[in-house]
Amino acid sequence: MKNLKKLICLTGFLAAIIAMPAFAADPPIYEITIKDHRFEPSEIKIAANKPAILLVKNLDAEAEEFESMDLKVEKIIAGKSEGKIRLRALKPGRYKFEGEFNAKTAQGILIAE
Amino acid sequence: MLATLIIVFRELIEAGLVIGIVLTATRGVAHRGRWVGYGILGGILGACIVAVFADSIAGMMDGAGQESFNALVLAVAVVMLTWHNVWMARDGRHIAQEMKLLGEDVSQGRRSLMALAVVIGISVLREGAEIVLFLYGIALSSGNSAVAMIFGGIFGLTLGVATSALMYFGLLRLPTRHLFAVTSGLIALLAAGMASQAVLFLQQGGIVTIFSQTIWDISGILPEDSLVGKTLHTLIGYTDRPSGMQVAVYVATLGMIFSLMKLFGHPSSPSQPNRKSGTPVVTILP
């Protein structure tokens, strides 16, 4: 019985922790556009040390893969569509990103400060 | 042409490493070639389907469809790899040896092969879908000749297959008595890496938000985008800036696999001396 109570308490506690962020305010959204296989802007500044959302709009007809080893994200953005990417809280610094399918032109940098 | 070559090579090698491990783990099992073939074919077919529906998949789950899909297929692969390892610990070793001796088809062995074929299919699907989308994009945009694309693709394919084959033959040089321990360890690490990658996708999609902070940064020592870093990323899930949740899930997956193997593994089988058949996997972990 004692164990059962403990278990229920623990489950409730865990559920509270997991559910908590759902009530937290949504992080700020930063927009990046892909056109002619280039990022616009190719340099974007965001606030450091807090989560953020990148909204990547692909205006080209071809799909692009938004990828960044520095930011630890990879997402395919189909042609003529957009995608949201959640970023973890970032330390101040410069983070490179690229369009993997057109790496020659699609290069950008994100600056957290 | 060079862009096509690089992309095809890069994606192919990731799936190739997984296939290499599966081939090593199933050495001597009858009909494994057929199942590996099914896995590859199924993966290519799946990749085309996923590429066609990429847009609709991405739109699901409030925009987190692609991330959920990736996390889900990775989770399936983790379950299959775990199951294979547990089965191998229980009676696979014994059966694998008999199969080699008699060249017989054992239904038990076939089921494990099916699980691994699913893993191969998933790896090929994930990497293949990117290749299909990329090639489709190139074909769509003007200024790229089809001939250059085909040549780039073929060169990338050849290089990727050759590199994967090299790794496979490297693994094959291991002495047979260590093979079981090494492949069990490799498969467990592969599964843990996939689980941690699934977490990354869930974080990117905003489905998992706790412990998402980077807990250490060793990109100065071994950057993940270096050749070694990338290979280790595919093989054991190496990442230079893991989030807390990734590390937790990685450790938990390894712990789960090894406990299940211990739980279901036979401490002694008649054909093996006790000393050898205990829990061989533990020996390869530092």
Side-chain angles (χ1 to χ4, degrees):
Chain A
M1 255 340 237
K2 231 181 184 177
N3 279 338
L4 189 69
K5 253 187 193 164
K6 262 190 200 161
L7 191 73
I8 292 170
C9 277
L10 189 72
T11 316
F13 181 63
L14 283 176
I17 291 185
I18 291 167
M20 212 159 48
F23 300 109
D26 258 0
I29 298 179
Y30 300 89
E31 244 184 72
I32 298 175
T33 306
I34 300 169
K35 193 164 186 277
D36 300 328
H37 311 304
R38 280 172 206 281
F39 292 114
E40 173 56 41
S42 59
E43 194 179 299
I44 189 163
K45 283 185 183 162
I46 74 163
N49 299 319
K50 47 179 143 178
I53 292 178
L54 286 183
L55 178 65
V56 184
K57 291 186 173 173
N58 184 2
L59 303 183
D60 290 335
E62 302 89 9
E64 183 56 276
E65 182 174 20
F66 184 95
E67 189 174 289
S68 169
M69 208 62 98
D70 292 352
L71 296 166
K72 301 288 169 233
V73 297
E74 50 176 314
K75 186 174 174 99
I76 291 169
I77 319 280
K80 305 276 181 211
S81 75
E82 57 181 49
K84 266 187 206 168
I85 299 165
R86 281 176 191 257
L87 302 179
R88 54 176 86 167
L90 296 168
K91 276 190 212 136
R94 296 163 71 81
Y95 300 83
K96 275 188 289 188
F97 59 84
E98 65 171 33
E100 202 195 356
F101 293 170
N102 299 283
K104 228 187 252 172
T105 51
Q107 292 284 342
I109 197 150
L110 181 143
I111 301 165
E113 55 180 26
Chain B
M1 187 182 115
L2 197 65
T4 315
L5 190 155
I6 291 169
I7 295 249
V8 171
F9 174 71
R10 194 151 69 186
E11 305 298 340
L12 205 92
I13 210 164
E14 289 187 32
L17 286 172
V18 174
I19 296 173
I21 292 180
V22 168
L23 280 175
T24 314
T26 54
R27 184 160 79 158
V29 179
H31 304 308
R32 66 168 188 166
R34 193 197 297 166
W35 284 102
V36 169
Y38 288 157
I40 295 175
L41 280 180
I44 293 173
L45 198 70
C48 296
I49 296 172
V50 168
V52 169
F53 293 104
D55 210 0
S56 2
I57 292 175
M60 282 186 232
M61 309 260 314
D62 195 22
Q66 195 184 113
E67 285 82 359
S68 315
F69 178 80
N70 276 327
L72 183 75
V73 293
L74 283 169
V76 171
V78 171
V79 171
M80 293 295 160
L81 289 169
T82 305
W83 189 64
H84 169 81
N85 253 15
V86 171
W87 174 78
M88 279 300 276
R90 205 181 58 195
D91 39 24
R93 197 184 197 194
H94 176 68
I95 287 170
Q97 278 169 347
E98 279 195 347
M99 274 194 283
K100 212 184 307 183
L101 286 176
L102 307 170
E104 269 181 7
D105 186 8
V106 179
S107 65
Q108 282 273 303
R110 202 159 49 211
R111 277 200 290 170
S112 174
L113 273 179
M114 277 162 78
L116 290 179
V118 170
V119 173
I120 288 181
I122 284 171
S123 303
V124 173
L125 180 150
R126 291 192 58 236
E127 312 305 336
E130 286 183 27
I131 296 179
V132 173
L133 278 171
F134 167 73
L135 293 182
Y136 181 68
I138 284 209
L140 211 65
S141 59
S142 51
N144 282 292
S145 84
V147 181
M149 183 177 117
I150 290 166
F151 268 108
I154 291 172
F155 277 136
L157 191 82
T158 315
L159 267 178
V161 170
T163 313
S164 310
L166 264 175
M167 193 206 69
Y168 169 62
F169 288 118
L171 275 175
L172 274 193
R173 292 172 66 113
L174 288 163
T176 317
R177 66 200 169 91
H178 296 310
L179 199 71
F180 175 78
V182 172
T183 54
S184 296
L186 277 176
I187 284 189
L189 290 168
L190 185 69
M194 285 179 168
S196 117
Q197 220 190 333
V199 169
L200 202 60
F201 279 118
L202 292 175
Q203 285 174 340
Q204 182 180 311
I207 297 157
V208 168
T209 48
I210 46 164
F211 308 135
S212 65
Q213 289 87 345
T214 305
I215 57 167
W216 65 69
D217 182 352
I218 47 171
S219 57
I221 303 165
L222 177 57
E224 197 179 320
D225 51 3
S226 64
L227 186 67
V228 177
K230 259 184 199 157
T231 311
L232 285 178
H233 174 76
T234 307
L235 286 180
I236 65 167
Y238 172 76
T239 171
D240 52 14
R241 275 167 278 198
S243 71
M245 196 55 150
Q246 275 190 288
V247 175
V249 167
Y250 190 91
V251 173
T253 307
L254 276 186
M256 176 193 74
I257 293 177
F258 288 129
S259 333
L260 284 175
M261 287 174 73
K262 213 166 188 175
L263 197 67
F264 288 102
H266 282 307
S268 61
S269 68
S271 62
Q272 294 284 320
N274 270 340
R275 188 170 44 85
K276 270 188 184 172
S277 62
T279 45
V281 272
V282 181
T283 54
I284 71 137
L285 285 172

